Amino acid sequence: MKVFLSTDMEGTAGVVDWEQCRGPGAEYEYYRGQLQAEVNAAIDGALAAGATEFLVNDSHSTMQNLRPDQLHGRAGYLSGRHKPLYMMEGLDDSFDAVLFVSYHGSADSTSSVLHHTYNPRAIAEVRLNGAITGEAGINALAALAHGVPVVLISGDQVTIDEALPFCPGIEGVVVKESISHNAALSLHPETARELIRDGAQRALERLSSFEPPSITLPAELTVRFHKRAFAELSCALRGVERVDEKVVVIRGDDPLTLYRSFIAAVLLSRGVSD
């Protein structure tokens, strides 16, 4: 059983402020350790369910937050800020399952702590086939392209609820209750890790009941930006149509091409000044 694990950081128990998940600094060093422990908990649960091979895609910020020698399960470690497929780089059809660890709510989910969608400076909202989605739903496009089910997600309840329309039956692990953009009631880290471990084991023990993500094709991504300049620039990409001053639509029947186009729009948005 081969498992792909994509991990962010804002969904880690205890994280409520950007200083805690952006280095350098003592706060970041502490919370990157907490993230590492949650990732290892997911690997431990997968091992208990019979998983034999792991690839961890470090997908937060500069994407070099984990200590590779401290990863359990002799996991491969994919890191570095320039990945063509970003949070889903490394996934292919040889994998049996995808895990999303320490994910967060979408840009539109104001009740989710540190909510955003890929680039908080640029993106105000993303809809997939008309439904608001966060990074989990967008990333599920890549999983669908390879026919691999997404079986677990950890974070707050908002994050899990946003993933459900695209990943029905997903094992959701709530490690904190969001109070506001910068406040949450978190479980004790040991409790959070126990729940993640148990959730991963349960999910993989019922792997045969999962299907690849449920996304109707051809699909449509509607992206609303904070500024018109972001929308203007993204229209340089093939298949991107501007439908309003700050809104573009990306359509297609190939989920991987759709995902690639969205990632390209995100990367372009980082080159536009305020």
Side-chain angles (χ1 to χ4, degrees), residues 6-17:
S6 170
T7 180
D8 212 337
M9 190 171 181
E10 291 88 354
T12 303
V15 169
V16 294
D17 190 272

Side-chain angles (χ1 to χ4, degrees), residues 139-197:
N139 294 348
L141 285 164
L144 174 61
H146 294 294
V148 184
V150 182
V151 302
L152 175 133
I153 184 169
S154 71
D156 70 356
Q157 188 63 55
V158 174
T159 303
I160 293 163
D161 290 344
E162 288 183 334
L164 282 171
F166 312 106
C167 306
I170 192 170
E171 189 76 35
V173 181
V174 178
V175 301
K176 57 187 173 186
E177 176 188 347
S178 291
I179 305 301
S180 70
H181 181 66
N182 286 111
L185 174 60
S186 294
L187 298 177
H188 188 281
E190 290 181 4
T191 303
R193 294 194 291 267
E194 288 170 2
L195 291 178
I196 291 171
R197 181 196 180 283

Side-chain angles (χ1 to χ4, degrees), residues 221-237:
L221 276 172
T222 304
V223 184
R224 178 164 56 88
F225 293 99
H226 290 300
K227 298 178 182 292
R228 62 177 297 166
F230 297 123
E232 288 173 349
L233 186 59
S234 66
C235 288
L237 299 167

Side-chain angles (χ1 to χ4, degrees), residues 13-238:
V15 169
V16 294
D17 190 272
W18 293 118
E19 184 180 351
Q20 296 171 324
C21 49
R22 289 177 180 168
E27 281 288 285
Y28 167 71
E29 290 300 324
Y30 172 78
Y31 280 101
R32 76 189 294 191
Q34 297 302 305
L35 170 63
Q36 179 107 33
E38 291 192 3
V39 169
N40 281 336
I43 293 174
D44 289 344
L47 285 167
T52 55
E53 188 175 349
F54 300 89
L55 176 61
V56 175
N57 181 336
D58 187 335
S59 303
H60 173 71
S61 188
T62 60
M63 298 184 268
Q64 46 190 352
N65 304 283
L66 303 176
R67 304 295 191 193
D69 63 324
Q70 295 176 20
L71 285 171
H72 292 185
R74 300 180 69 86
Y77 181 53
L78 182 54
S79 61
R81 69 176 71 204
H82 297 300
K83 302 173 186 169
L85 290 183
Y86 216 115
M87 301 180 81
M88 299 302 283
E89 184 68 42
L91 180 67
D92 58 34
D93 58 10
S94 70
F95 286 88
D96 299 292
V98 172
L99 312 181
F100 291 154
V101 176
S102 192
Y103 269 45
H104 54 80
S106 72
D108 196 61
S109 58
T110 55
S111 60
S112 184
V113 68
L114 296 181
H115 61 92
H116 65 280
T117 304
Y118 271 92
N119 183 356
R121 187 170 64 90
I123 296 176
E125 180 189 86
V126 178
R127 291 179 179 263
L128 176 53
N129 289 342
I132 290 174
T133 182
E135 292 168 9
I138 297 167
N139 294 348
L141 285 164
L144 174 61
H146 294 294
V148 184
V150 182
V151 302
L152 175 133
I153 184 169
S154 71
D156 70 356
Q157 188 63 55
V158 174
T159 303
I160 293 163
D161 290 344
E162 288 183 334
L164 282 171
F166 312 106
C167 306
I170 192 170
E171 189 76 35
V173 181
V174 178
V175 301
K176 57 187 173 186
E177 176 188 347
S178 291
I179 305 301
S180 70
H181 181 66
N182 286 111
L185 174 60
S186 294
L187 298 177
H188 188 281
E190 290 181 4
T191 303
R193 294 194 291 267
E194 288 170 2
L195 291 178
I196 291 171
R197 181 196 180 283
D198 292 347
Q201 181 174 351
R202 282 194 305 272
L204 291 174
E205 285 177 343
R206 60 182 180 93
L207 181 58
S208 61
S209 70
F210 283 96
E211 299 288 341
S214 178
I215 301 171
T216 302
L217 298 172
E220 180 177 284
L221 276 172
T222 304
V223 184
R224 178 164 56 88
F225 293 99
H226 290 300
K227 298 178 182 292
R228 62 177 297 166
F230 297 123
E232 288 173 349
L233 186 59
S234 66
C235 288
L237 299 167
R238 186 171 59 185

Side-chain angles (χ1 to χ4, degrees), residues 248-263:
V248 302
V249 173
I250 312 170
R251 301 183 180 93
D253 54 10
D254 179 356
L256 191 58
T257 298
L258 194 61
Y259 179 74
R260 284 181 180 274
S261 295
F262 173 79
I263 295 302

